Structure formats: C-alpha cells, structure tokens
Amino acid sequence: YFSGVPFRPDPVFEDWLSYEEKKRNHPTRYQVGAGYYTQVGQVRIDYLMPPASLITGTNDDVNNNSLLLKFTYGTTRILICGDTEEDGWRRVSDYDISNIDLLLAAHHGNDSGYYQPKVRVMNPKYVVISAGPGTPHDADQKYRQYARIGVYTTRTARVVADCDDRGNV
C-alpha cells in the first residue's frame, strides 16, 4: 500500500532501500488514498489521505500526500498520520478524525505536523510521538494540551499500546 507520490529521502538509509526493494518486488501493490479501506479480521483500515487529486504546490507536497490511516476495532479508533502537515490536514474531514482513542502524532511530533484545529477535533485519549532526541521543533507540549489521558514519546522510552474492541487502550 502506498500513496503514489514519488519520494527518495536524502540521505538514503539502508532501511529505505530495503523498503523500496520490497515495494518493487512484491507481486501485489496498491496505490491507495482517501476513500479506500481494507478489512483485516475485525480491524477496518480507512485511508483518509492523500486525496484522489494529489496535493500540489505546498511547502512539502510529499508530506502532505502521506498516507493517513484510521484503524477501527470495535469502538477503538487509532489514527496514524504519516508526515501530514497543515495543507494536508485542511483537506481531512473532521467527521473522519473526531474522538480518536490513540493518535500517532504526525511528522514525528514536530511542529510541522501539528495542526491545532484538527488535534482539537481528534480529542485524543492518548498521543504517541515516535521520534528521536528532542529538537527545538517538538510539539510535545502542544499535544499535552489536548490529550485527555496522556502523551507518550519514544524520546524517553519504547512505547507499546494495546487495545480491545471496547475502546480500552
């Protein structure tokens, strides 16, 4: 599953080359975006981004065309945001992202992925920030204003989330 947006990081790391090789050699590849969904057992995965007409002309078209995924398992809703930035967030329906149980913060928890109007709509119970060492661009404190229960970050420890079909995370 991929967004269809061509991208090559600079510098290129070995894990990226491995990903590209797997994508090239996999017998079945799916370009997905808003409106697509997948059912895996009892889990529904809705693809909320990128839009059918890819976003162009923004500060970072690659990030704004990231895959934005909503996982639903019973009443539990998890949002994985890729590197979506403000221009991408503006195209996401509030209905699709309201009252999230667990939010994996966009763009590694950096300011560039934080868009307060949408985070407020998400009203997340938990926020997980997957990132390396802190930088001056961290939005950790901003997320703390909206997380109903807590913010957890891999800056300090490994984070593992578990959920059940009743919305308990």
Side-chain angles (χ1 to χ4, degrees):
Y1 297 90
F2 63 102
S3 70
V5 176
F7 174 69
R8 187 167 180 88
D10 184 22
V12 174
F13 294 101
E14 191 172 325
D15 63 335
W16 183 262
L17 294 174
S18 173
Y19 164 75
E20 284 293 310
E21 181 181 342
K22 287 177 184 174
K23 189 171 83 171
R24 242 187 338 271
N25 295 326
H26 198 279
T28 310
R29 301 179 327 156
Y30 300 99
Q31 181 177 334
V32 295
Y36 286 83
Y37 75 92
T38 303
Q39 188 78 31
V40 180
Q42 295 177 319
V43 178
R44 179 179 167 122
I45 306 168
D46 286 284
Y47 302 89
L48 306 178
M49 286 289 284
S53 296
L54 294 175
I55 299 169
T56 60
T58 69
N59 285 338
D60 198 330
D61 290 344
V62 171
N63 287 345
N64 283 311
N65 286 295
S66 290
L67 288 179
L68 177 58
L69 310 173
K70 180 176 70 176
F71 292 78
T72 305
Y73 174 55
T75 62
T76 302
R77 296 160 43 107
I78 298 171
L79 198 63
I80 299 180
C81 305
D83 289 339
T84 306
E85 296 182 357
E86 182 176 340
D87 289 312
W89 281 121
R90 289 174 186 249
R91 290 167 171 84
V92 176
S93 161
D94 287 356
Y95 175 81
D96 288 332
I97 61 170
S98 65
N99 298 311
I100 296 299
D101 294 291
L102 188 144
L103 167 66
L104 180 60
H107 214 176
H108 309 283
N110 289 323
D111 282 323
S112 59
Y114 179 85
Y115 185 53
Q116 185 267 348
K118 293 299 184 182
V119 175
R120 186 178 37 209
V121 168
M122 290 175 208
N123 190 30
K125 283 184 186 175
Y126 300 94
V127 176
V128 173
I129 296 171
S130 177
T135 73
H137 308 290
D138 296 344
D140 300 28
Q141 292 305 318
K142 293 176 182 178
Y143 282 109
R144 282 182 172 74
Q145 296 174 36
Y146 293 96
R148 289 179 279 152
I149 296 178
V151 174
Y152 299 89
T153 175
T154 60
R155 296 184 208 288
T156 55
R158 189 174 104 180
V159 177
V160 177
D162 189 25
C163 68
D164 65 27
D165 62 352
R166 294 182 311 274
N168 301 311
V169 178

